Amino acid sequence: MKSHQADPGRAARTAPVVVVGAGPVGVTAALLLARRGVRSILLERHRDVYPLPRAVAMDDEVRRILQAVGVHEEFTAIARPAGGLRLLDARHRVMAEFRRDDPHGHHGFPQTTLFDQPELERLLRRELARRPECELRGGVEVVAVEPDVPGGGARVTLRDQATDGVEHLWADAVLGCDGAGSLTRDAIGAVWEDLRFEETWTVVDVRTSLPVRTWEGVDQVCDPARPATFMRIGEDRYRWEFRLGPGSGDLRELVAPWVELPYDDDGLEVIRQARYTFRARVADRWRRGRVFLLGDAAHLTPPFIGQGLCSGLRDAYNLSWKLARVLEQGADDRLLDSYQNERKPHARHMIRLAMATGWAMTGGQDRASALRRTALGAVCRIPALTSYLAEHGLSPTLGRGPLVHHGRRLAGVLVPQPWVTTDRGRVRLDDVLGDSFAVLSAVPPAPAVRAVAQALGARIVRIDVPDGATAGDTAVIDDGTLAAWLRTGRADAVLLRPDRVVMSTVPAGGGGFTGTSAWAPLLCTARRPAPAPPSRSTTP
């Protein structure tokens, strides 16, 4: 790892990575870096987890990220699978229903999960406390981030809220996970691109034992006069979101379609009622030198498809392995250019989807809007469309770049994650793949394929040898999911990045990986990557 040059005005404290903001995105990024041997200091102005619920939904792709940081089993105990999404008209009649109730979807988890954000944050912080590579400092306010300081990296200035003392930290990299009002965003000269969506809503979280008319999923009420979102979060926990407008009514009136409140006692324990302005924005730049933006510092997503927190965790997953490879293994700094190039279009796509859903819910009261909602209902009832969304989810394929060699069907998609059997027992596929690159092959790998694996420190995982693999390879047996997926993609093998994205393929019929001239100069280093940890035996 690069060391800072001596500087007379420099304090003694340095860190490979400083994370500004210890919310779920910042803590997840630190945990992913720790698994790759990178030390970090997390700076947070609050001394404890923010106690009120905010994000409540997560898809199966992002649950896979929780698996990557080692908390998925604990998360299962605090989470509730949801049945999917229903679009309702003004009279609460179902216009369309998108079922997402497969308990083992493409990524190995329930396709939609509801949860309480403070519980998730406490879980992540407990895992953080187990990692010696991570240091969390609460009660400090970051007052300046200076990219490109002499000697490389960046300087972070912080103020201790208890003593009012000022301290400087020098870091090889800074991750700005400091939210919508990000100081880090200002420090790198980034500005918002406004995608032209702004609405004010009230969000109400309650606890009640009263009977509530609900189903095991999320309701979106597509009524321009009173659009709303509703879901059951836990055994007796519910959330409503209503757009504010003239004559919005009191809480009793707002929740009446779902629950009948007695007049002598409202029967609701309001945990939180807050007013939010939902916006759609994306920062024009996400990086300056080794200072990066993640989460709400980089993008703001309306909540209608539950992807705000999900997008931030995807940022952490995408960047962490690349940054670790640069800091710990000497990879080319140009590798870090792929972070914004991959994540910004993906985040913009998800914001546009959220805006489209919001538009369907709140698209006005004119005659044209009524026709649009009627057309939407008809389109959403097409079985092929609803089946496709249920199977593939909302997340798009990564665009073409040096780390995604398009021209092959599977490039840029995530490998499915079935349960597989190894000589250590039954485990999820990712526990076999490890934290680095991996080659998944349905045929004996050619010498050229083995050479690529060796150069990247990639584990070779074979699905074609149920009786055992050759020395150094790992044999797995699944239910046919992986073989069928490779066949559909017309591939004999795939090269998987540490974030489980297909980087390149071996086409059916043999050969080697394509596109090596684009990524080899960025990834291949003189130092061998650390070996992946052994797979853990778990049971469903």
Side-chain angles (χ1 to χ4, degrees):
M1 181 174 52
K2 179 178 179 180
S3 298
H4 292 297
Q5 298 174 2
D7 183 357
R10 187 172 200 149
R13 195 72 195 275
T14 64
V17 177
V18 168
V19 181
V20 183
V25 174
V27 175
T28 296
L31 288 170
L32 290 167
L33 289 168
R35 290 178 69 93
R36 293 169 172 85
V38 180
R39 293 183 297 109
S40 62
I41 298 176
L42 291 84
L43 305 176
E44 172 59 52
R45 60 191 179 95
H46 298 293
R47 291 195 173 275
D48 200 358
V49 167
Y50 184 75
L52 298 179
R54 288 171 291 176
V56 293
M58 181 181 297
D59 62 28
D60 52 336
E61 177 186 332
V62 175
R63 282 205 58 176
R64 201 168 177 176
I65 300 174
L66 298 186
Q67 179 187 355
V69 301
V71 301
H72 63 290
E73 292 179 354
E74 295 90 339
F75 181 72
T76 299
I78 65 170
R80 190 180 75 82
L85 171 69
R86 296 193 311 191
L87 301 183
L88 310 181
D89 66 12
R91 296 172 61 184
H92 285 226
R93 296 173 300 187
V94 177
M95 297 166 55
E97 184 173 305
F98 301 94
R99 301 293 304 188
R100 289 181 62 80
D101 51 6
D102 185 347
H104 302 288
H106 182 84
H107 299 286
F109 294 100
Q111 293 169 297
T112 301
T113 298
L114 301 177
F115 63 95
D116 180 66
Q117 182 171 332
E119 290 185 331
L120 170 62
E121 291 198 41
R122 282 190 284 269
L123 188 159
L124 288 169
R125 287 199 182 192
R126 285 196 297 271
E127 182 66 20
L128 191 78
R130 300 185 187 108
R131 302 297 313 211
E133 302 91 344
C134 304
E135 176 187 349
L136 173 61
R137 297 184 59 183
V140 296
E141 179 186 1
V142 174
V143 296
V145 175
E146 301 169 63
D148 307 322
V149 296
R155 185 173 79 163
V156 178
T157 303
L158 57 102
R159 182 181 64 84
D160 189 299
Q161 293 176 335
T163 67
D164 212 32
V166 174
E167 181 182 346
H168 301 298
L169 291 175
W170 275 263
D172 290 302
V174 174
L175 307 188
C177 306
D178 45 348
S182 171
L183 176 146
T184 311
R185 186 176 59 249
D186 294 338
I188 69 170
V191 296
W192 284 127
E193 296 176 10
D194 192 344
L195 301 184
R196 300 179 181 273
F197 184 96
E198 185 170 316
E199 292 186 347
T200 302
W201 287 56
T202 185
V203 179
V204 185
D205 288 279
V206 308
R207 179 176 284 110
T208 184
S209 59
L210 294 172
V212 179
R213 291 180 283 275
T214 184
W215 74 302
E216 295 305 305
V218 178
D219 280 343
Q220 302 276 19
V221 182
C222 302
D223 175 10
R226 184 173 289 175
T229 304
F230 167 70
M231 66 203 79
R232 182 166 77 91
I233 305 301
E235 190 63 33
D236 60 350
R237 283 278 314 282
Y238 302 88
R239 167 171 288 189
W240 282 275
E241 299 172 357
F242 301 97
R243 188 182 66 178
L244 297 178
S248 291
D250 60 17
L251 183 58
R252 176 186 294 273
E253 180 185 350
L254 290 171
V255 303
W258 292 275
V259 57
E260 185 175 345
L261 301 179
Y263 284 99
D264 57 341
D265 179 5
D266 63 17
L268 297 182
E269 176 193 348
V270 178
I271 300 170
R272 179 193 67 153
Q273 183 167 359
R275 179 176 296 195
Y276 286 95
T277 299
F278 297 151
R279 295 183 173 92
R281 293 178 175 177
V282 61
D284 64 338
R285 61 186 298 179
W286 292 26
R287 175 194 177 199
R288 177 176 167 185
R290 295 252 189 99
V291 179
F292 303 86
L293 304 180
L294 295 82
D296 285 354
H299 43 76
L300 296 177
T301 307
F304 305 114
I305 56 174
Q307 287 291 314
L309 176 60
C310 292
S311 290
L313 295 184
R314 288 190 184 98
D315 295 343
Y317 204 25
N318 184 287
L319 177 60
S320 59
W321 71 266
K322 299 171 183 175
L323 185 57
R325 199 164 185 95
V326 170
L327 296 180
E328 291 294 304
Q329 297 164 25
D332 195 305
D333 250 55
R334 292 177 301 160
L335 174 63
L336 302 175
D337 293 337
S338 66
Y339 169 59
Q340 176 177 322
N341 293 341
E342 291 181 348
R343 285 297 305 138
K344 185 177 178 181
H346 191 285
R348 186 189 291 273
H349 174 90
M350 302 306 284
I351 292 170
R352 294 290 190 193
L353 280 178
M355 289 171 59
T357 303
W359 168 79
M361 295 172 64
T362 65
Q365 294 178 289
D366 60 324
R367 180 176 299 177
S369 71
L371 292 173
R372 289 195 299 269
R373 287 192 299 279
T374 300
L376 173 71
V379 169
C380 290
R381 289 189 177 96
I382 299 174
L385 174 63
T386 55
S387 297
Y388 178 86
L389 290 175
E391 179 180 353
H392 297 278
L394 303 172
S395 184
T397 299
L398 284 189
R400 182 173 183 172
L403 302 181
V404 177
H405 187 253
H406 277 275
R408 303 294 177 188
R409 288 190 175 188
L410 299 179
V413 306
L414 281 92
V415 63
Q417 182 180 209
W419 286 89
V420 298
T421 302
T422 73
D423 57 2
R424 292 186 176 92
R426 193 164 183 258
V427 298
R428 287 184 167 96
L429 176 65
D430 287 359
D431 292 331
V432 178
L433 298 177
D435 290 329
S436 186
F437 288 85
V439 173
L440 181 70
S441 183
V443 300
V449 172
R450 291 193 177 276
V452 167
Q454 183 177 12
L456 293 174
R459 177 176 292 172
I460 295 177
V461 178
R462 304 272 301 276
I463 63 172
D464 63 314
V465 282
D467 297 326
T470 56
D473 297 350
T474 301
V476 300
I477 303 172
D478 80 324
D479 58 2
T481 298
L482 296 173
W485 177 73
L486 288 171
R487 265 196 316 274
T488 301
R490 298 177 183 173
D492 282 344
V494 290
L495 177 59
L496 301 174
R497 304 177 353 173
D499 54 7
R500 316 311 185 196
V501 171
V502 176
M503 188 164 76
S504 187
T505 65
V506 174
F513 291 118
T514 53
T516 55
S517 60
W519 52 256
L522 302 180
L523 295 171
C524 295
T525 67
R527 282 174 278 174
R528 281 290 301 275
S535 57
R536 291 187 302 167
S537 225
T538 55
T539 55

